[in-house]
Amino acid sequence: MTMPNLFLIAAPRAGSTQLARWLATHPDISLSLVKEPNFFAAHEFDPAYVSASHLDDVDPTKPVTRPTQFAVFRDPARYGALFENMTTRWRMEASTSYLSCPQSPELISAACPDARVILLHREPVARALSHYQLARRTGRTQASLMDELEAEISGQLPCAACYLLRPSLQLPGVARFERTFPERSTTLQFEAMIKSPQAALAQVARLLDIDPTGFDVTARAQNAGAEPRFAQLNALLMRSGLKTRLRQILPAPVKPYLRRLWFNDNCRAPINAAEIAALKSALEAQCAS
């Protein structure tokens, strides 16, 4: 069975979609059709929660025929099929669940012993705020940041539903992967990568022993956090699963026009200073525990 030999490991909203887009422009690198198959952290995704939340952008039990963002693959053969037709030197996936999953480094090392790992982390508060804005955009929530934070602190949410605090504590995950993949990993910072993409990609090229001029830094990924114009309808479509279904069936040329209609790019989720302070305090408490 063909397996990946390159992993882009980052928290959600830490720049992995953009970095994966740049990496995939290199002639020596292929990205799996499902950017985030989550195979090595599937045990953290309760099947009932995945189904109720419509997390799978494609059916992971069937052949994948088009590029998409996220699904939870549990079957090794279906996971391996994502890479079997790749002819490039490096076969990559970029699941954002691996960084916070304690078991992922060892599971990846056991299944893909020759893999290289690119680690990417972002300032924790900015990452959490960006994830909250995305949750509002997708219709995952209409609640305030404070309400979402309190729900997560309560400890009653399933692991996969915790998106503010747990994914923001990135450095312990970075350290786990660096220990598991010594001399076969490199670590990037989101803020530095955005400031100088060429320098970040040159660092990756050294790890992979590939031509550093082979990347197209003009390639841009769309993964924004603008507010929906029709928030209640947006949330209803998300809860019902219709939004996922529409993404699957709508022709690609139509989607940019619908995005402009559906989202207000000049508007972001309302967040006040007290909520940001509470988020910082909660993150500090998590780090200290």
Side-chain angles (χ1 to χ4, degrees):
M1 180 172 65
T2 305
M3 294 292 276
N5 59 3
L6 177 60
F7 291 83
L8 170 53
I9 307 290
R13 309 304 292 170
S16 68
T17 298
Q18 180 59 75
L19 180 54
R21 180 72 180 274
W22 284 331
L23 294 175
T25 64
H26 197 286
D28 289 330
I29 301 174
S30 295
L31 175 65
S32 58
L33 282 178
V34 180
K35 172 187 172 274
E36 303 180 37
N38 298 287
F39 178 73
F40 294 103
H43 58 279
E44 292 197 340
F45 291 87
D46 177 72
Y49 175 79
V50 171
S51 177
S53 302
H54 310 287
L55 293 186
D56 287 330
D57 291 333
V58 293
D59 186 341
T61 67
K62 297 179 180 179
V64 180
T65 59
R66 62 182 183 84
T68 193
Q69 186 79 4
F70 190 101
V72 181
F73 281 69
R74 305 179 193 275
D75 179 74
R78 287 297 183 196
Y79 177 70
L82 294 173
F83 310 95
E84 64 183 6
N85 293 323
M86 293 182 179
T87 59
T88 53
R89 178 181 173 191
W90 298 104
R91 304 176 300 276
M92 179 177 65
E93 66 123 304
S95 298
T96 55
S97 58
Y98 298 157
L99 192 61
S100 58
C101 175
Q103 296 81 23
S104 287
E106 293 297 337
L107 291 174
I108 292 172
S109 180
C112 313
D114 297 323
R116 304 288 174 92
V117 174
I118 303 163
L119 298 158
L120 177 64
H121 63 93
R122 182 180 185 180
E123 193 281 317
V125 173
R127 192 224 67 83
L129 293 175
S130 178
H131 207 155
Y132 173 66
Q133 290 167 342
L134 179 66
R136 298 267 302 200
R137 174 186 174 89
T138 61
R140 176 175 180 171
T141 186
Q142 292 180 271
S144 68
L145 176 63
M146 189 67 76
D147 287 343
E148 291 289 274
L149 184 59
E150 289 175 352
E152 194 165 322
I153 291 173
S154 73
Q156 298 178 4
L157 297 178
C159 180
C162 297
Y163 72 93
L164 290 174
L165 300 178
R166 189 173 188 256
S168 296
L169 303 176
Q170 301 151 85
L171 295 185
V174 168
R176 283 193 295 267
F177 274 97
E178 288 177 336
R179 287 194 301 269
T180 307
F181 294 88
E183 300 181 1
R184 288 187 288 126
S185 64
T186 194
T187 301
L188 305 173
Q189 184 188 42
F190 168 81
E191 290 79 6
M193 179 187 77
I194 296 303
K195 183 177 181 180
S196 180
Q198 291 87 351
L201 292 169
Q203 184 174 328
V204 171
R206 288 192 293 272
L207 173 72
L208 303 182
D209 189 25
I210 58 177
D211 181 2
T213 67
F215 302 103
D216 178 7
V217 295
T218 67
R220 296 292 168 181
Q222 289 190 343
N223 195 353
E227 281 282 281
R229 298 181 190 274
F230 316 102
Q232 292 183 345
L233 178 58
N234 191 56
L236 176 62
L237 291 174
M238 183 67 180
R239 289 194 302 269
S240 68
L242 288 174
K243 194 171 184 183
T244 299
R245 182 58 179 154
L246 286 171
R247 285 202 305 269
Q248 294 171 349
I249 64 176
L250 285 173
V254 174
K255 293 181 180 180
Y257 298 100
L258 289 180
R259 288 191 191 101
R260 288 196 289 270
L261 170 66
W262 200 255
F263 298 106
N264 184 352
D265 288 332
N266 297 317
C267 182
R268 294 291 185 270
I271 303 171
N272 60 48
E275 290 175 318
I276 295 175
L279 174 62
K280 290 180 179 179
S281 177
L283 283 169
E284 290 170 359
Q286 291 278 321
C287 286
S289 62

